[in-house]
Amino acid sequence: MRTLGVAILGLFAGLAAGFLLFSEVLGRIVAGNGPVGPPWTFVIGFGPQVLAVVGAVVAVVIDNARRGRS
């Protein structure tokens, strides 16, 4: 049950970081140069979801490493 909680926490943390990085920072940089082309729309659109999954996996790996050491 602890692993599920850590995974959900990592999912939300990754999603928040993804929205901050892709939507705010990268989106403003790319949109500031003119119209946004198709490759960038996919990167900006799917970036937060990918980072959310990565955040969940990294959180579980870190939790398992810390639990195994103690």
Side-chain angles (χ1 to χ4, degrees), residues 1 4-6 8-9 12-13 16-17 24 27 33-35 39 45 49 53 58 65-66:
M1 201 60 153
L4 179 64
V6 168
I8 291 173
L9 181 65
F12 283 122
E24 294 298 321
N33 294 334
Q49 288 86 358
V53 172
V58 167
R66 290 192 67 194

Side-chain angles (χ1 to χ4, degrees), residues 41-70:
T41 56
F42 294 123
V43 170
I44 293 170
F46 292 118
Q49 288 86 358
V50 171
L51 215 58
V53 172
V54 169
V57 170
V58 167
V60 169
V61 168
I62 290 173
D63 183 56
N64 285 339
R66 290 192 67 194
R67 197 180 325 172
R69 189 175 351 147
S70 60

Side-chain angles (χ1 to χ4, degrees), residues 20-50:
L20 181 68
L21 178 69
F22 288 104
S23 298
E24 294 298 321
V25 176
L26 189 64
R28 289 177 191 255
I29 290 171
V30 172
N33 294 334
V36 180
W40 286 108
T41 56
F42 294 123
V43 170
I44 293 170
F46 292 118
Q49 288 86 358
V50 171

